[in-house]
Amino acid sequence: MNPAPSVIVFTVLSGMGFGFLAMLGFGLAGGAGGLAFAAWALGYGLAVAGLVASTFHLGNPQRALLAFTQWRTSWLSREAWAAVVTLLLLAPQALSDWLGLGWGRGFGLLGGAMCLVTVGCTAMIYAQIKAVPRWNHWIVPVQFLVAAGAGGLVLAKGGLWGAVASALLAGVLALGWRIGDRRFAQVGARLETATGLGAVGRVSVFELPHTGGNYLMREMIHIVGRRHALRLRQIAFAMVGPVPVLALLALPPLLAVPVAALCHLGGMLAARWLFFAEAEHVVGLYYGQRGAAVAG
Amino acid sequence: MTALPQATEKKLGLVIDLDTCVGCHACVTACKGWNDQGYGAPLSDQNPYGADPSGTFLNRVHSYSVQPEAGPAQTINFPRSCLHCEDAPCVTVCPTGASYKRAEDGIVLVNEDACIGCGLCSWACPYGAREMDQAAGVMKKCTLCVDRIYNETLPEEDREPACVRTCPTGARHFGDFADPDSKVSRLTAERGGYALMPEMGTKPVNRYLPPRKKDAPQEASLLAPLLDIKATGFAGWLDKVLGKIG
Ligand code: SF4
Ligand code: SF4
Ligand code: SF4
């Protein structure tokens, strides 16, 4: 799939934002007064920036409100609702923390849980798509949730908690790559089934239907070199796992959190780029474009 | 509403005959021509006369080389358009309700006034049947020529999809798969019509007819019929004698 920058930035920023907001909601960080204001502002900023970035790839963003109508069937619509409900639920908690109103943690706990629901909905937009076998697996929502949780914990708590979450995230990413590399073959879609001509013999592309490019090829068929992908996987793994762990355990807390958070962000951008670029859509079969990124 | 209908009264769709399709792309042109001027946003082209032309099409014709176990490879032309799936994943993913499947005849359509151009439905379609129009920013797909098949201002023989009407070899057939006596149902039954990528669980309505078995050439040499003339009479007697001596 085409690794569109707007979607990569959206999912990474909003994931980290909702993860951090969840921690603030649960009362795991944030403090009071100006500090609380800054923390909540950062969380809202990340989450909202992500949501705004997601509208950049729409063909007709002026009709975006219609996306709230189909929550019964569409994960994208559910995500829109979950995001808005979450941001509204957390607002009283943010006010209370900032101004010391002492309204308890009810809104925070509820909103925190809704943060995770929102991230889960985002993940399901991808995981529901059978036509992209690499995405169509439970590991995808797990990856999204762990990424948001780790991002949130690194920002909110740093220290040992952040380190453990970062190590877990690196492990989950690695597991995802392992599972993902086998998915296409598991699903069993081949040019023979796509054309139904397997009964006649072995099928190969003789001529393409068009000499220029088209939307399908630009959007759905993206070939990444195997060596390139492997290097990026190593970078992503190091930047979400070992590097933040070291930073959080070795550097003084005031320096450790921003360093670890920035590393996490960079690593997640690389990982998310791979999430799209390595995901092969079965339509590629019709074009004879299958399998640059199939590691053994 | 992007919930799929439980069942549809009719199941309108196409049968595509891979035996007769000659890969002339007439259906591609007819489809583009018709859908350029009627239903919804016209199918735009980008840079059509430039170095890197591209455009929106609802029907594309691939060509494949198929190598049987014995004998030479065959060229098989393969038109690809929306299959109007019964379990259409493109419909249920749509956040706005723009994508829908009609309960009365099963046609899958896009209400362009409600489409935000998110592209998710084109990701959900395994067959590449949906293309986003780059000028209008809305999703385009085969309408089964809904503005022809019920159009009483057209002469009766034109009330079928443009691609079907135009195909010079009669490789595309239109009809109701819910009716077991319809032409498309009978063709499917007689010729072993099949669905594409059943492993995707979309339950396509359209069917493809497999190419018929090719005749195997009888003799190796093109001159074989000439060389095989049996001599009779005096020539036959001479042939026999010479055969014994040699
Ligand atoms: S072929 Fe694709 S666009 Fe058409 S109904 Fe099936 S899934 Fe939807
Ligand atoms: S591109 Fe349009 S029709 Fe397709 S899912 Fe998005 S809003 Fe629905
Ligand atoms: S039925 Fe109409 S819209 Fe669909 S491929 Fe044929 S000509 Fe195009």
Side-chain angles (χ1 to χ4, degrees):
Chain A
M1 305 294 287
N2 171 34
S6 66
V7 182
I8 293 173
V9 169
F10 151 62
T11 54
V12 169
L13 285 188
S14 74
M16 193 176 193
F18 281 110
F20 186 51
L21 283 176
M23 302 307 150
L24 294 179
F26 295 150
L28 294 177
L35 203 61
F37 178 81
W40 280 103
L42 178 63
Y44 268 89
L46 284 172
V48 171
L51 293 180
V52 171
S54 76
T55 61
F56 290 167
H57 82 290
L58 295 182
N60 280 286
Q62 77 282 7
R63 300 199 270 259
L65 280 182
L66 282 172
F68 286 93
T69 60
Q70 304 301 311
W71 51 272
R72 283 193 206 80
T73 45
S74 163
W75 282 105
L76 184 47
S77 188
R78 286 173 198 156
E79 183 208 34
W81 272 109
V84 169
V85 167
T86 306
L87 295 179
L88 289 179
L89 267 178
L90 285 173
Q93 192 67 62
L95 270 184
S96 162
D97 286 359
W98 169 29
L99 303 172
L101 302 174
W103 289 349
R105 296 232 65 84
F107 283 110
L109 292 176
L110 223 58
M114 278 305 293
C115 285
L116 303 183
V117 171
T118 307
V119 174
C121 287
T122 308
M124 283 310 293
I125 294 172
Y126 305 102
Q128 71 178 331
I129 294 179
K130 281 208 182 102
V132 183
R134 187 184 279 276
W135 288 351
N136 188 227
H137 195 275
W138 55 260
I139 190 71
V140 168
V142 171
Q143 278 181 334
F144 272 68
L145 283 168
V146 172
L153 271 175
V154 166
L155 265 183
K157 288 214 76 79
L160 193 59
W161 278 103
V164 170
S166 297
L168 180 68
L169 174 58
V172 168
L173 284 185
L175 179 66
W177 291 323
R178 243 187 110 74
I179 293 174
D181 287 344
R182 304 206 168 96
R183 282 294 293 155
F184 209 102
Q186 258 172 20
V187 166
R190 290 170 299 122
L191 183 50
E192 279 74 15
T193 66
T195 59
L197 294 171
V200 183
R202 202 168 37 77
V203 188
S204 58
V205 170
F206 181 64
E207 245 184 342
L208 289 179
H210 39 93
T211 49
N214 72 348
Y215 169 75
L216 296 174
M217 300 186 81
R218 285 189 297 268
E219 183 75 6
M220 252 84 79
I221 304 176
H222 187 90
I223 303 288
V224 228
R226 197 188 291 236
R227 286 216 339 262
H228 187 59
L230 190 65
R231 180 145 328 132
L232 259 175
R233 283 185 184 186
Q234 289 161 345
I235 292 174
F237 183 87
M239 287 190 41
V240 301
V243 178
V245 169
L246 274 182
L248 288 171
L249 296 182
L251 294 177
L254 221 53
L255 195 60
V257 169
V259 168
L262 283 177
C263 281
H264 168 92
L265 212 56
M268 275 314 295
L269 286 173
R272 212 37 70 74
W273 188 89
L274 283 167
F275 176 76
F276 286 95
E278 287 193 300
E280 289 179 277
H281 194 289
V282 294
V283 76
L285 293 168
Y286 289 108
Y287 286 86
Q289 307 243 15
R290 162 79 249 276
V294 202
Chain B
M1 202 51 209
T2 55
L4 289 165
Q6 289 290 336
T8 59
E9 268 168 58
K10 290 182 177 178
K11 288 182 195 172
L12 297 186
L14 302 177
V15 158
I16 295 175
D17 189 344
L18 299 182
D19 192 65
T20 37
C21 174
V22 291
C24 68
H25 291 245
C27 56
V28 177
T29 316
C31 172
K32 178 110 173 175
W34 177 260
N35 288 291
D36 229 6
Q37 49 194 331
Y39 191 95
L43 302 168
S44 70
D45 290 319
Q46 280 68 45
N47 203 11
Y49 304 107
D52 186 18
S54 93
T56 317
F57 287 77
L58 312 182
N59 177 37
R60 307 250 187 198
V61 179
H62 295 250
S63 295
Y64 296 105
S65 163
V66 186
Q67 177 63 61
E69 265 183 26
Q74 299 172 19
T75 305
I76 296 175
N77 303 296
F78 185 92
R80 178 174 57 78
S81 54
C82 172
L83 312 165
H84 297 279
C85 305
E86 284 181 62
D87 215 339
C90 55
V91 169
T92 49
V93 298
C94 177
T96 66
S99 272
Y100 62 105
K101 184 171 175 73
R102 308 208 313 176
E104 62 270 37
D105 53 17
I107 300 180
V108 174
L109 290 174
V110 175
N111 169 9
E112 293 174 8
D113 292 336
C115 172
I116 54 173
C118 67
L120 193 55
C121 55
S122 67
W123 292 7
C125 171
Y127 310 101
R130 292 174 167 245
E131 299 189 15
M132 179 101 72
D133 190 88
Q134 300 301 302
V138 294
M139 195 53 73
K140 301 296 297 187
K141 70 175 292 299
C142 159
T143 63
L144 211 58
C145 287
V146 67
D147 50 347
R148 288 175 67 94
I149 58 178
Y150 298 116
N151 190 339
E152 294 190 347
T153 61
L154 293 178
E156 179 127 21
E157 65 268 29
D158 282 336
R159 286 180 219 157
E160 59 176 13
C163 55
V164 174
R165 185 81 180 92
T166 211
C167 177
T169 65
R172 298 176 78 108
H173 307 267
F174 162 74
D176 179 11
F177 287 83
D179 169 6
D181 288 328
S182 68
K183 185 177 63 180
V184 287
S185 296
R186 279 187 284 120
L187 268 172
T188 304
E190 283 161 22
R191 299 268 311 276
Y194 59 83
L196 305 182
M197 274 197 273
E199 65 273 18
M200 288 288 134
T202 52
K203 293 205 223 140
V205 167
N206 285 11
R207 288 290 183 267
Y208 283 74
L209 305 182
R212 293 183 175 91
K213 260 205 143 25
K214 296 276 179 286
D215 293 340
Q218 305 278 320
E219 303 286 342
S221 166
L222 276 179
L223 296 174
L226 297 175
L227 297 173
D228 204 30
I229 296 170
K230 279 264 181 293
T232 52
F234 174 72
W237 172 80
L238 196 64
D239 208 26
K240 247 188 244 163
V241 171
L242 288 175
K244 273 179 191 152
I245 299 169

